[in-house]
Amino acid sequence: MGTGSIRKIDTAGRVVLPKSIRKTFDLKDDVDSVEISVDGDAIILKKYTPTCMFCGGNEELTDYKGHRICGNCLRELSELRPHGA
C-alpha cells in the first residue's frame, strides 16, 4: 500500500492537507469540513456532507435546534403535530 504524502503533526495536533488533495476532493478553505474516523489502525478523513438526522438525505436541509432535518421529514413531522397546539 502506498503512503501518499507524508506530513508532520504540529504541536496543536494539526495536519496540513496538500493542495492537490484539497483540489481533488473540492475542499474549500474555511468553508468545508472533514469527518475523522478510525478503522482498525487507519485514520480516515472524509469530506463532511451534512445529512438529515432522520433519513440521511441531504436535500433541503434545515437546522432545527442544532439538528439537520430535510424538507420531506420536516413536512412529515409537521403533519404529526396536532392542529391548534
Side-chain angles (χ1 to χ4, degrees):
M1 173 192 256
T3 58
S5 297
I6 297 174
R7 295 289 189 260
K8 293 272 187 190
I9 299 172
D10 72 11
T11 57
R14 296 175 294 210
V15 177
V16 175
L17 296 176
K19 186 174 184 174
S20 61
I21 290 176
R22 295 193 317 263
K23 186 175 179 178
T24 298
F25 289 94
D26 194 28
L27 292 168
K28 294 173 184 60
D29 299 344
D30 295 324
V31 174
D32 290 315
S33 297
V34 292
E35 183 178 342
I36 304 169
S37 60
V38 175
D39 184 8
D41 64 350
I43 300 169
I44 300 171
L45 297 176
K46 179 178 168 184
K47 183 175 180 177
Y48 174 69
T49 304
T51 58
C52 174
M53 67 177 290
F54 294 113
C55 72
N58 61 359
E59 303 278 326
E60 299 179 67
L61 292 178
T62 301
D63 188 68
Y64 179 73
K65 296 185 179 183
H67 300 284
R68 295 221 162 81
I69 303 173
C70 73
N72 288 334
C73 289
L74 192 59
R75 283 186 284 281
E76 285 183 32
L77 288 171
S78 69
E79 291 171 4
L80 296 175
R81 199 170 107 220
H83 294 290

